[in-house]
Amino acid sequence: YGITFPMFNKIDVNGAATDPIYAWLKAQPGGAGDITWNFNKFLLGRDGKLIKRYPSDTTPDSAAITADIEAALAK
């Protein structure tokens, strides 16, 4: 695509320099706790509220995530 700028930068997800989005996510009900490994997932509703946090060993196409997305879309 001819991109000449960095698409991603490394950010901190834990500690004093936590990126604001992760600080906010972890401050929401159900989102607490340090990020222990890559690929933690956060599902947000249409209203921007956290629905659920999933550990890194939950695959994106897992039955749990799929069911939660379908339930959120049905609201």
Side-chain angles (χ1 to χ4, degrees), residues 52-71:
K52 192 167 182 181
R53 177 180 171 172
Y54 307 89
S56 58
D57 63 351
T58 304
T59 61
D61 61 350
S62 72
I65 292 178
T66 301
D68 290 342
I69 291 171
E70 289 174 353

Side-chain angles (χ1 to χ4, degrees), residues 11-28:
I11 61 172
D12 289 322
V13 297
N14 295 313
T18 299
D19 189 80
I21 187 66
Y22 283 96
W24 181 83
L25 285 166
K26 294 189 301 179
Q28 302 308 299

Side-chain angles (χ1 to χ4, degrees), residues 28-46:
Q28 302 308 299
D34 281 349
I35 308 270
T36 56
W37 190 248
N38 293 341
F39 307 112
N40 276 214
K41 296 149 202 74
F42 295 86
L43 177 60
L44 302 176
R46 294 176 199 224

